[in-house]
Amino acid sequence: MKHITLSIIFLYSLFSFSQSSTEDVIEPFLEDIVSQFPNVRDLAISPNGKEAVFSAQSFMGDISALMIVSKTDTKWSNPEIISFSGQYNDIEPFFSNDGLKLFFASNRPMDNTSTTVKDFDIWYVERASTEASWSAPINLGAPVNTEMDEFYPVVTNSNNLYFTLDNPSLKRKDDIYISEFKNGAYTQPKPLSDSINSEGYEFNAFIAPDESFIIYTCYNRDDGYGSGDLYVSYKQENGEWSISKNMGQKVNSNKMEYCPFVDTQNGILYFTSKRLKMTSFEEKQSIEDLKTIFYSYENGLSRLYKISITNLIKK
């Protein structure tokens, strides 16, 4: 049997039916920072672990800006709007493996001659070093970007690009696509196989740097727990994706789980959830009780969570 990468091992351990650890629990991430905004989603952490970028959104999600925080020792800085964001709807950041490019989705115009928004495209910024400033945004261009909406870019070690696309001509919902990087350019995007995609909604895919696994959201599948759930699939020896499996109740709730990001070095899965801690009461609540619930972390708005899975690696 071929060598199985560490990333597959720890993720397989997470989703297997082996005995779980007491440390295998969901925790809020950046709780004090996230709680400053109505909605926070789609996290990206730089390869050196010193920067985190996320989308801060209005209550309805129709206003979005990319925020950045920096880490010193174990403390994260106060959030700031990243240098190139704050005017248009910018979402779904992703760092290149050297930390010198940041990909994201945006409805910004193609150039500075207009302020009229367009469909969502995949853009990127770049910098000379991790200490340098970001460039102005650059549109990734064809064949990846089209007149349709492209979302949630993820770039692997081979520079292959995975993203979400809603192609109305196919009479399907959102699907996960790949554009391979060959001879210094991106090829015509292709949808992943039916092991991943269906006639329903599949979106927001994280792909391992070595492309050994994929975690993404499927909406309202028969084996789901309600709304959107995170599913996982593995690259098989024949190069095909395995049939995706629901990641289970350790991760998923009866609300929306989406925007996964995996720190493969430290074995941590980050994701966004709209989970709600309480929906009914045994007795009448006071105004103060209700305010406490409304402003709690698990209040049904988009919040960031993490789960440590290092201890579940099979030796």
Side-chain angles (χ1 to χ4, degrees):
M1 179 179 293
K2 294 182 179 179
H3 175 68
I4 300 177
T5 63
L6 181 62
S7 57
I8 289 183
I9 292 174
F10 77 68
L11 280 164
Y12 177 79
S13 302
L14 172 62
F15 313 125
S16 69
F17 292 99
S18 60
Q19 185 176 3
S20 62
S21 166
T22 56
E23 296 181 16
D24 184 17
V25 295
I26 299 296
E27 296 178 335
F29 180 62
L30 299 178
E31 183 172 3
D32 292 341
I33 293 172
V34 168
S35 298
Q36 298 177 35
F37 304 99
N39 287 292
V40 166
R41 48 163 287 182
D42 48 62
L43 172 77
I45 298 177
S46 63
N48 62 14
K50 295 182 179 180
E51 298 169 290
V53 182
F54 57 85
S55 299
Q57 296 188 321
S58 60
F59 282 99
M60 298 303 293
D62 48 2
I63 300 173
S64 182
L66 293 181
M67 300 288 170
I68 186 168
V69 292
S70 301
K71 191 175 185 180
T72 303
D73 296 326
T74 60
K75 185 177 180 180
W76 290 96
S77 67
N78 291 325
E80 297 180 356
I81 300 176
I82 203 166
S83 60
F84 56 87
S85 191
Q87 183 175 1
Y88 302 104
N89 276 358
D90 301 327
I91 55 175
E92 300 169 350
F94 188 83
F95 283 95
S96 60
N97 60 9
D98 59 6
L100 300 184
K101 283 187 178 180
L102 183 70
F103 296 83
F104 64 102
S106 178
N107 70 344
R108 61 183 55 227
M110 292 295 292
D111 54 52
N112 293 330
T113 63
S114 173
T115 57
T116 302
V117 298
K118 58 186 294 296
D119 64 292
F120 277 88
D121 278 350
I122 294 173
W123 296 70
Y124 69 94
V125 290
E126 53 190 359
R127 56 188 177 182
S129 71
T130 56
E131 306 301 322
S133 299
W134 290 111
S135 69
I138 303 166
N139 189 285
L140 193 59
V144 172
N145 290 326
T146 66
E147 294 181 355
M148 299 173 285
D149 289 325
E150 290 81 28
F151 294 107
Y152 215 79
V154 172
V155 178
T156 64
N157 288 344
S158 64
N159 284 323
N160 287 341
L161 172 71
Y162 293 78
F163 62 99
T164 303
L165 173 65
D166 179 11
N167 186 347
S169 67
L170 298 180
K171 297 182 180 180
R172 296 162 65 104
K173 308 301 183 184
D174 293 357
D175 279 335
I176 309 301
Y177 279 68
I178 180 175
S179 177
E180 296 181 294
F181 193 75
K182 294 183 177 180
N183 301 319
Y186 283 107
T187 60
Q188 184 66 38
K190 298 178 181 178
L192 299 188
S193 70
D194 289 346
S195 295
I196 305 298
N197 293 316
S198 72
E199 293 183 357
Y201 290 92
E202 290 82 29
F203 52 92
N204 293 1
F206 174 88
I207 292 80
D210 60 4
E211 297 174 80
S212 57
F213 67 85
I214 177 174
I215 297 175
Y216 65 109
T217 296
C218 302
Y219 185 73
N220 271 351
R221 286 198 175 180
D222 291 341
D223 61 344
Y225 296 94
S227 190
D229 283 356
L230 292 181
Y231 283 68
V232 61
S233 171
Y234 301 96
K235 185 67 72 66
Q236 301 175 107
E237 290 186 4
N238 62 4
E240 300 295 326
W241 292 103
S242 65
I243 296 175
S244 60
K245 302 293 185 182
N246 190 296
M247 290 175 64
Q249 288 182 298
K250 289 185 183 301
V251 174
N252 293 313
S253 69
N254 63 353
K255 304 299 181 183
M256 175 73 78
E257 274 75 42
Y258 60 128
C259 300
F261 174 83
V262 180
D263 176 353
T264 55
Q265 296 297 317
N266 296 303
I268 300 177
L269 168 65
Y270 299 88
F271 63 98
T272 306
S273 177
K274 293 186 176 182
R275 60 189 59 207
L276 185 60
K277 188 173 184 179
M278 188 175 298
T279 58
S280 61
F281 313 100
E282 295 182 357
E283 57 186 28
K284 180 181 174 66
Q285 302 294 295
S286 68
I287 289 179
E288 292 306 315
D289 291 335
L290 289 176
K291 285 183 178 180
T292 298
I293 296 168
F294 293 161
Y295 293 104
S296 66
Y297 199 77
E298 296 184 11
N299 63 357
L301 299 175
S302 292
R303 296 287 184 253
L304 300 181
Y305 295 88
K306 67 176 183 178
I307 181 169
S308 177
I309 54 179
T310 304
N311 58 327
L312 295 181
I313 296 176
K314 288 187 175 181
K315 306 300 189 222

